Structure formats: C-alpha cells, structure tokens
Amino acid sequence: MSGSTVSITANQISTSRRRAVERTLPAGAPDNEDAAKITAADTAAAILKDARKTPAQTQPRKSGPTRKSKPRWLTVISILSKNLAFLVVLLGFVQMFRWVVFNSGHSDTEGFSVISGDLEGKVAEMEKFVKTTTKAMQVQLNAVDRKVDDEISSVRKEFDEKIEQKGDEFDLKFKALDVRSDAFEKFIDGFRKKSLLSKEDFDEFFEEFKKSRKNTGVEVSLDEIRDYARDIVEKEIERHAADGLGMVDYALTSGGGKVVKHSEPFGAAKGGSGGWLLNRNGVSAEAVKMISPSFGEPGHCFPLKGGSGFVEIKLRTAIIPEAVTLEHVAKSVAYDRSSAPKQCRVSGWLRGQGTTDVEFDTNKMFLLTEFIYDLEKSSAQTFKVVKSGASNLVDTIRLDFTSNHGSASHTCIYRLRVHGHEPSFVPMLER
C-alpha cells in the first residue's frame, strides 16, 4: 500500500478502518501462522475496499433529533486521538508486511532480489544518463564561452581600431589647429608692429583739413575727408616716383654730376675686352653707374678692387648738404650681398676757381657723416650730415669705405646720392 493512499484516508476514515479490521477477524478464529497470513491479507483488502468508498457511503446515518455541536476543544481531542490510533494501526500493518515478506519462502525472496537489482540498474542508467547529459552540457557551455570570448575579442579589437583611428584624426585636427594658431599669432604680431594712425595724428590731419576748407561753417562730410586724403596720397606718390626717395639728388649724372676720381676698379688688370676703359684722368666709363638711376637689378653697379677704396663725385652745383644715400641690391633679388660696403665715411669741400678736376686742397675737405651700411635694413639707406649750414658749402664729395660685408675680391657701389639745397646768395661756380 502506498504512502499517498494512507495520507489521503488518514483523517476521514480512521473509524471505518477499525471496523473493517474487526469484521475481517471472525470470533473464535484459530491463532496460528496460516490464519495470521490469511488475516493480514484479508485485512489489507478490506482497508483498500474501505478506502475506495465515497464520503457519502462512509458517513453514518443520522437518527433521531439533531445533535448539538460539541465544543472545539473536544473536537481537537477527538481528531488527535483518531490520528494516534491510525498511526498505531499503520505501524502494525508495516510490521505484519515485513513478517510476511521475510517468511513467504524462496520464490518471494528471488522476486524481491530481481526487483531490487532492476532498481539498481535503473539507478545506474539514470546516473549514466545524468553524467552524459552533464558532459554534453559542459561541452555546450565551453563552446558558448569560446564563442562569447571570440565575439568580445572581435568587438574589443574593432573598438580599439576605431579609437586609434579617431585618435589619429584628433591629432591631425590638433596639429592643424596649432598651425592656425601660430599663423594667427604671427598675424597679430605683425598687426601690432604696423604703424597705425594714432588719435593725435588723426587730430592733426583733421585740423589741417579744416584749415584747407574755405567754408568752415559747413559740416564736414566723409566724402570730403576721403578726397583730401586722396590728394595727399597722390602728391606723395608723385614725389617719391620721381627718384624713389622724394629728395633732390645733386650727384645725378643727368643733372650734371660726374665721377672725377676713384680707386682701382675690379678687373682693370685683366685688360682687353674684359677690363675697364679709363679716360685720361683714370676714370672708368662704367663709373657713371654709381650716379645713375637703375631698377635695382643685380650686377648693375660699379665694382672696386678689394675691401677698401674711395670715390669722388663732382656735384651739379654748390649746395649746403643735408644727407647722403648709399644704395645696394635688394635682399629679395640678390645672389650675394657680401660685396656691399660696410664701414663708410663721407667728406666734402668747395673747389675754387682755376682748379682742375683732379687737384684740390685737402685742408678744405671736412667730414659730412660716418655710418655703417646694414644689410638687414632697406636697400637704400639715408644718413644725415653731421653739420649743415651756410658755412659748409660743398660742390664735391668723397666716399671712403674701409671694409665690406665679407667679399675679399671686390666691393660694389650701386648708387650714391647727395641731398641738400642751393643757397640763394652763392653764384653758380664753373665746372
């Protein structure tokens, strides 16, 4: 008999079971082993038969008037006593079943052994199935782990490549930003270095503009200021376009100036077509390049031998000198600027009547200016005269250079200019 059947019928039909047992044991039955066996079998059958009855069949018939309800504590005691009695009966039944099984003969023992062996085989098969299933599941889990690891590695690799690619793009953008920042800083520095019109300069310009107007009572318009500024710019352009500096050059050959003496030209000792043609005063025909306008092309100069030498120039007329300008080839177009003069000294004097071009009184010569020609500055550099007055009247100047910027073979003079003004009380001297 199964445990589930016993648990179902334990509380409901405990009384009926006791009655079934009493019915299966007739009065005066013999007390021996065979009778005990029959009685145990009949008792089990009776219990099963009684358990299959419906609650309606097992419920006792009520007779007479309706009974009054019992107190709850009595009901609890009744249920406990019934369950206790059922447990006693069940224990007895188990003891009888064990006694029947172990004393039923050899055939029953073999059947029990067969059932027990079959149960062990089933258990072994179940264990084997569980182990096989576990191994298969472990293999599947390992495969899933490997697949997950491969996917994670692939995603991580792709992510790292994208990060590296984005990092390279960011580096390029940062470098471009740095270049733009440097260019902007250079632009700002250049803008700061430019000489812009200050407020004082504008006020001075505006005052001059108001003085130039006839009707001072009319309001000033922006167009009038533009026209006035345009006129000033045009005049300055016209002035500088005449000779580049906007100052009169009294040494200009087309104005009457000429070279009267110089040191040995570079290449004069070669002779023939490669040498210089000298006149009776020993002046080269190419020396005129020093006092002629040029477009600043390289090589359009007069070279003198060595790193030192001199040049003497007769001016178109006697003047009161104010400045001297020495010009060399511009840095932007020059092949080599080492032949430019460096340490220079300019002197001047006034020739008297009856003197020749090559003769002069050294006592009359006086210093006008000393300077150093700087290659880092503009190609045409102007130097003011030390003393400028009516007593310093000159009609001849002399340039002496004692060094150049590195050339050991020659020194080139592209152009030499003399600036000043003519005194009104001095008559024109004979040239």
Side-chain angles (χ1 to χ4, degrees):
M1 183 177 178
S2 64
S4 62
T5 306
V6 172
S7 63
I8 294 172
T9 60
N11 296 324
Q12 296 180 359
I13 57 175
S14 59
T15 306
S16 299
R17 286 176 180 173
R18 288 197 302 273
R19 291 174 183 176
V21 173
E22 292 176 358
R23 286 196 301 267
T24 56
L25 297 174
D31 190 8
N32 53 33
E33 294 180 357
D34 294 335
K37 293 180 182 179
I38 296 171
T39 302
D42 293 340
T43 301
I47 291 172
L48 290 174
K49 182 178 180 181
D50 190 42
R52 290 170 182 165
K53 290 182 180 181
T54 60
Q57 295 174 347
T58 59
Q59 185 176 4
R61 295 180 180 180
K62 297 180 180 180
S63 62
T66 306
R67 295 180 181 180
K68 296 181 180 180
S69 60
K70 296 180 180 181
R72 184 171 297 180
W73 62 274
L74 292 176
T75 304
V76 172
I77 292 174
S78 177
I79 293 172
L80 291 176
S81 61
K82 290 178 181 180
N83 288 331
L84 182 61
F86 172 74
L87 289 175
V88 171
V89 173
L90 182 62
L91 289 174
F93 175 74
V94 170
Q95 290 294 330
M96 286 188 295
F97 182 76
R98 291 179 61 188
W99 184 81
V100 169
V101 168
F102 286 105
N103 294 283
S104 61
H106 180 71
S107 60
D108 294 336
T109 305
E110 289 179 355
F112 184 78
S113 300
V114 170
I115 293 172
S116 178
D118 189 25
L119 181 61
E120 292 178 357
K122 293 294 184 181
V123 171
E125 290 180 359
M126 181 63 68
E127 291 179 353
K128 185 178 180 181
F129 174 75
V130 170
K131 291 180 180 179
T132 305
T133 305
T134 304
K135 290 181 179 179
M137 291 177 65
Q138 186 66 36
V139 171
Q140 293 293 329
L141 288 175
N142 293 334
V144 171
D145 289 339
R146 287 194 297 270
K147 187 173 181 181
V148 170
D149 292 338
D150 293 339
E151 292 294 334
I152 291 175
S153 300
S154 178
V155 172
R156 184 179 298 171
K157 184 178 180 181
E158 183 179 359
F159 187 70
D160 292 338
E161 290 177 355
K162 288 184 178 181
I163 289 178
E164 186 176 0
Q165 183 179 1
K166 292 295 183 182
D168 294 338
E169 292 180 359
F170 283 138
D171 290 339
L172 293 176
K173 290 182 179 180
F174 281 132
K175 289 180 180 178
L177 184 62
D178 291 338
V179 172
R180 291 183 179 179
S181 299
D182 294 339
F184 181 74
E185 289 178 358
K186 290 181 180 179
F187 171 76
I188 294 298
D189 292 338
F191 183 77
R192 289 174 179 174
K193 291 179 181 179
K194 289 183 179 180
S195 56
L196 301 178
L197 187 65
S198 62
K199 184 178 181 300
E200 292 77 10
D201 295 336
F202 180 77
D203 292 339
E204 183 179 354
F205 165 78
F206 191 69
E207 291 296 331
E208 293 180 358
F209 169 72
K210 290 194 295 184
K211 291 178 181 178
S212 64
R213 298 177 70 249
K214 294 180 180 180
N215 285 331
T216 56
V218 183
E219 293 184 358
V220 179
S221 65
L222 183 60
D223 292 334
E224 291 178 345
I225 296 177
R226 288 175 179 173
D227 293 337
Y228 181 73
R230 188 182 297 109
D231 292 337
I232 294 176
V233 172
E234 289 177 353
K235 289 179 181 179
E236 289 296 324
I237 292 175
E238 182 180 358
R239 177 186 175 190
H240 286 274
D243 199 21
L245 296 177
M247 293 185 290
V248 178
D249 180 15
Y250 286 92
L252 186 64
T253 183
S254 60
K258 62 180 180 179
V259 178
V260 296
K261 196 173 182 180
H262 55 72
S263 58
E264 182 181 355
F266 177 68
K270 294 180 181 179
S273 60
W276 301 102
L277 297 177
L278 305 178
N279 58 20
R280 60 185 181 87
N281 294 324
V283 178
S284 171
E286 298 294 326
V288 71
K289 292 181 179 179
M290 293 186 296
I291 54 176
S292 300
S294 67
F295 294 99
E297 63 271 19
H300 193 78
C301 65
F302 181 60
L304 297 172
K305 187 177 181 179
S308 62
F310 71 93
V311 174
E312 292 182 7
I313 299 174
K314 179 71 166 57
L315 306 180
R316 72 178 301 274
T317 186
I319 63 168
I320 298 174
E322 296 175 354
V324 175
T325 299
L326 180 63
E327 184 176 354
H328 198 74
V329 65
K331 182 179 181 180
S332 58
V333 297
Y335 302 110
D336 182 14
R337 305 181 75 198
S338 63
S339 62
K342 186 176 182 180
Q343 202 80 26
C344 301
R345 174 188 176 95
V346 179
S347 304
W349 66 95
L350 181 64
R351 291 178 180 271
Q353 292 290 336
T355 58
T356 62
D357 293 339
V358 295
E359 295 178 356
F360 69 96
D361 188 358
T362 56
N363 294 327
K364 296 180 180 180
M365 186 170 62
F366 57 90
L367 177 66
L368 296 180
T369 183
E370 286 182 320
F371 59 88
I372 296 176
Y373 185 84
D374 191 354
L375 291 179
E376 298 302 323
K377 296 181 180 180
S378 63
S379 58
Q381 299 178 25
T382 301
F383 306 94
K384 293 183 178 181
V385 171
V386 178
K387 293 181 180 180
S388 181
S391 60
N392 294 329
L393 192 66
V394 299
D395 61 357
T396 306
I397 63 103
R398 177 186 171 105
L399 169 67
D400 289 280
F401 57 90
T402 57
S403 64
N404 60 21
H405 284 272
S407 176
S409 58
H410 64 284
T411 302
C412 288
I413 301 177
Y414 275 77
R415 187 175 177 186
L416 181 62
R417 313 184 202 187
V418 181
H419 314 293
H421 63 275
E422 300 180 30
S424 57
F425 59 88
V426 179
M428 180 71 67
L429 300 177
E430 295 183 359
R431 294 192 297 269

